[in-house]
Amino acid sequence: MLKLLKAQALAKIGRKWKPRYLSGPRAHLSQEHHFSSQGITELTIPQKAFFPRAKQNGSFSLRLVPPTLLAAEKEEAKAVLTLFLKKQGLSNAVAARTINKSDAFVDHLVSRLHSVHKSRYLVGRELTTLEIRDALIPYLESLNDEYQAILVDVVENFPDPPDKEKTEEIIQKQSTTTEISPPSLSSSITSAGSKKLKALARVSDVSPTKKLPSHITYLLDLGMEFEAIKEVIRKFPAFAYYSLDGKIKPVVEFLIDLGIPREDIPTILSKRPQLCGISLTENLIPTMAFLEELGVDKKQWAKVIYRFPPLLTYSRHKLKSTVDFLYEMGLTAENVSKVLTRCPNIISYSVEDKLRPTADYFRSLDVNVAFLLHRSPQTFGLSIEANLKPVTSFFLEKGYTLSDVSTMISRYGTLYTFSLPGNLMPKWDFYLTMVYPESELIKFPQYFGYSLKDRIKPRYENLRQCGVKILLNQMLSLSEDDFQKLLKKKMEKKG
């Protein structure tokens, strides 16, 4: 099926523009934008930037790209740079302020993309989000190795070398660990929100004589609410610059071909708009094939993607590490398949920071981890301190032993997913008013999974009025018809 979908995707993906090149050396030391009569933007690269690794030999011919594509690539480059700066320890506010001052450097990053991926542009193919990251992250890491303490100053001052006195001041401040005051709240909000406002303007600032961008009209026709589209752009500004035929439409048609109902597409795009920035033939389809090899039921792709759209955006290393962990815990291949299909968001959990510590915690309670993973994988996404330990303490305080708690978890792993104040406590309080012994909950912890208002109270009231007794699991697990039949039988036997 994937081979057929790949062939269909290749046939559907088209490009409205052809690559064009300019020849001849560029002697600029600063970056400029030139606009031709056709409305196409030419981005020139500084030939002699002060970065040793950023030098250009003058022989590379720069291509012309549509303004919308160039704007989208700039947003992607900003996102990569922002993430990189945060990983170096910068706060959100400082990273946003740096990005706001780094337009020239961002243009330089885009130019580097064009240089690294010349062959891709020759055939008129846009870069995916992952390809942009793979091209820029190593370059940023090399700059960080070279400039370290003054990296931010280097980025903000590009293409000019950083001021010598300012550089010495930065290094001195870092060495003496002097705390730098953060920017004001208003300036931080302005910096962080500027790119969002520009992106939103593409769909909001439309005069009566102008039409909405084609991809926005397409999404509206698809059933996506205008406010939902704007919310997506607020969270992911690059989406405003995605081309209809190059990115959005192929992904939408691909999802429909998988069997996803058309009315579910807006929900999926709202959850993970980044899907439209990933290549179908080089990323999405190969990732699906890889996941099928790992155990995902290929007949359930529509449900899997609807439940967790980000699944297809994870790297193979991340996917394999989670699956390896499941096998390490003792799950069979069949059960791994069921876990990935029923709870695909388990892929999003960190193996070392989330899954393994949770497994260790349940082992300390003498719980069969493989069985619990198979029956209730969502439990492994809970916080040990905020969710798991409080529930354990709750039952221990009520007089149950660790062995009792272990039995309850093994019989009903979902028990730990319930809220203490909103579920467990009120149901426990009502349980104490019933005639059942507390030990009955060890046999039937599923009691906590039934509605107190719609199931537990009404049925117990029926039993009380009829003056009969039945097992707790019979009172709750039987269908309404079977419950009434059992009541009638008990009353006849009693009479």
Side-chain angles (χ1 to χ4, degrees):
M1 179 181 178
L2 286 177
K3 290 183 178 179
L4 175 61
L5 289 173
K6 186 171 183 178
Q8 292 174 342
L10 283 170
K12 289 177 181 177
I13 295 175
R15 291 293 181 267
K16 291 186 176 180
W17 55 275
K18 299 293 183 181
R20 296 172 56 190
Y21 281 81
L22 289 177
S23 59
R26 300 296 185 206
H28 302 288
L29 290 178
S30 62
Q31 293 176 316
E32 301 174 2
H33 290 123
H34 302 284
F35 298 91
S36 69
S37 59
Q38 288 81 13
I40 297 177
T41 304
E42 172 194 346
L43 181 65
T44 58
I45 307 175
Q47 190 178 21
K48 291 184 179 180
F50 63 90
F51 301 124
R53 294 183 177 86
K55 291 180 179 179
Q56 306 293 326
N57 59 16
S59 62
F60 173 60
S61 297
L62 295 174
R63 63 173 294 97
L64 292 172
V65 296
T68 54
L69 175 58
L70 183 62
E73 290 178 336
K74 288 179 67 174
E75 290 300 323
E76 296 275 11
K78 286 181 181 180
V80 172
L81 180 58
T82 300
L83 180 62
F84 183 81
L85 292 175
K86 289 180 181 179
K87 286 185 176 180
Q88 308 315 309
L90 273 68
S91 66
N92 291 339
V94 175
R97 182 182 62 184
T98 299
I99 294 297
N100 200 42
K101 296 180 179 180
S102 307
D103 287 344
F105 185 75
V106 171
D107 288 343
H108 168 64
L109 292 179
V110 173
S111 299
R112 185 170 181 82
L113 287 176
H114 297 171
S115 177
V116 171
H117 289 286
K118 288 186 292 184
S119 60
R120 298 295 300 276
Y121 284 95
L122 274 171
V123 294
R125 295 181 61 184
E126 300 174 11
L127 297 180
T128 67
T129 299
L130 294 178
E131 288 169 339
I132 291 174
R133 290 177 184 173
D134 290 344
L136 297 184
I137 290 296
Y139 176 64
L140 292 173
E141 288 175 344
S142 68
L143 292 180
N144 186 51
D145 291 340
E146 187 168 351
Y147 295 100
Q148 297 181 2
I150 62 169
L151 178 64
V152 170
D153 200 44
V154 164
V155 169
E156 291 180 355
N157 284 278
F158 183 87
D160 300 319
D163 181 75
K164 183 177 180 181
E165 293 182 1
K166 188 174 181 180
T167 298
E168 292 175 350
E169 180 183 353
I170 292 173
I171 295 175
Q172 183 178 6
K173 283 185 177 182
Q174 189 178 65
S175 63
T176 57
T177 63
T178 302
E179 184 176 351
I180 302 175
S181 300
S184 65
L185 178 61
S186 59
S187 65
S188 298
I189 294 175
T190 301
S191 299
S194 60
K195 66 178 181 181
K196 295 181 182 180
L197 293 175
K198 291 178 182 178
L200 284 170
R202 286 180 53 79
V203 298
S204 300
D205 300 341
V206 180
S207 66
T209 59
K210 293 184 179 180
K211 295 182 179 179
L212 287 168
S214 59
H215 67 296
I216 302 300
T217 302
Y218 175 79
L219 293 172
L220 291 172
D221 292 340
L222 193 65
M224 198 168 183
E225 297 291 337
F226 189 64
E227 286 302 317
I229 296 173
K230 291 170 66 175
E231 183 61 25
V232 166
I233 293 173
R234 287 189 190 98
K235 295 178 180 178
F236 188 63
F239 190 77
Y241 303 95
Y242 281 167
S243 66
L244 174 59
D245 294 326
K247 290 184 179 289
I248 295 177
K249 193 173 182 179
V251 171
V252 169
E253 293 178 348
F254 174 71
L255 295 176
I256 292 174
D257 288 342
L258 282 176
I260 296 175
R262 186 181 180 88
E263 59 269 20
D264 289 344
I265 301 296
T267 301
I268 292 174
L269 295 183
S270 296
K271 290 181 179 179
R272 199 66 168 183
Q274 293 91 330
L275 278 174
C276 294
I278 300 175
S279 169
L280 272 178
T281 56
E282 296 187 15
N283 296 101
L284 290 183
I285 293 177
T287 298
M288 289 174 64
F290 183 67
L291 283 165
E292 287 180 7
E293 292 176 3
L294 295 178
V296 172
D297 186 352
K298 60 184 178 182
K299 297 179 182 178
Q300 300 293 325
W301 270 120
K303 291 182 180 179
V304 170
I305 294 176
Y306 182 77
R307 288 170 182 164
F308 191 60
L311 179 66
L312 298 181
T313 65
Y314 287 102
S315 68
R316 290 195 176 193
H317 173 74
K318 171 61 176 169
L319 298 172
K320 189 174 184 301
S321 65
T322 302
V323 172
D324 287 345
F325 170 80
L326 296 177
Y327 280 119
E328 180 188 338
M329 293 298 104
L331 272 73
T332 64
E334 181 182 0
N335 287 342
V336 167
S337 173
K338 291 179 179 179
V339 169
L340 293 178
T341 303
R342 293 199 322 261
C343 186
N345 55 308
I346 196 172
I347 295 292
S348 66
Y349 306 151
S350 167
V351 171
E352 299 304 326
D353 296 336
K354 176 69 72 174
L355 296 179
R356 195 176 300 283
T358 303
D360 291 341
Y361 176 75
F362 281 119
R363 278 204 190 98
S364 72
L365 301 180
D366 199 26
V367 173
N368 185 322
V369 172
F371 185 78
L372 183 60
L373 269 169
H374 175 228
R375 295 289 295 272
S376 183
Q378 65 271 27
T379 303
F380 286 74
L382 300 173
S383 165
I384 294 176
E385 298 298 328
N387 302 106
L388 304 184
K389 286 185 177 180
V391 172
T392 301
S393 298
F394 172 78
F395 285 108
L396 293 177
E397 290 169 2
K398 303 307 177 186
Y400 294 97
T401 66
L402 277 177
S403 178
D404 295 334
V405 174
S406 174
T407 301
M408 294 168 74
I409 300 169
S410 299
R411 289 178 175 170
Y412 192 50
T414 311
L415 182 66
Y416 273 72
T417 65
F418 296 134
S419 163
L420 262 176
N423 188 308
L424 300 182
M425 289 180 177
K427 289 178 182 177
W428 170 262
D429 291 339
F430 183 77
Y431 186 83
L432 295 179
T433 68
M434 298 194 294
V435 297
Y436 297 104
E438 295 178 10
S439 60
E440 192 75 8
L441 286 177
I442 303 174
K443 300 176 183 177
F444 190 68
Q446 290 86 345
Y447 163 82
F448 292 99
Y450 291 96
S451 169
L452 184 60
K453 177 183 177 182
D454 299 328
R455 189 82 157 194
I456 299 174
K457 286 185 176 181
R459 289 204 172 179
Y460 185 70
E461 181 62 21
N462 275 347
L463 290 178
R464 194 183 64 79
Q465 290 179 356
C466 295
V468 298
K469 294 181 181 180
I470 60 176
L471 296 175
L472 181 64
N473 69 328
Q474 290 178 317
M475 182 184 82
L476 296 175
S477 62
L478 293 176
S479 67
E480 187 61 30
D481 287 342
D482 289 341
F483 175 70
Q484 294 300 332
K485 289 178 182 178
L486 181 60
L487 272 185
K488 184 177 180 181
K489 183 178 179 180
K490 289 284 185 180
M491 290 177 66
E492 290 175 351
K493 186 176 180 180
K494 179 182 177 182

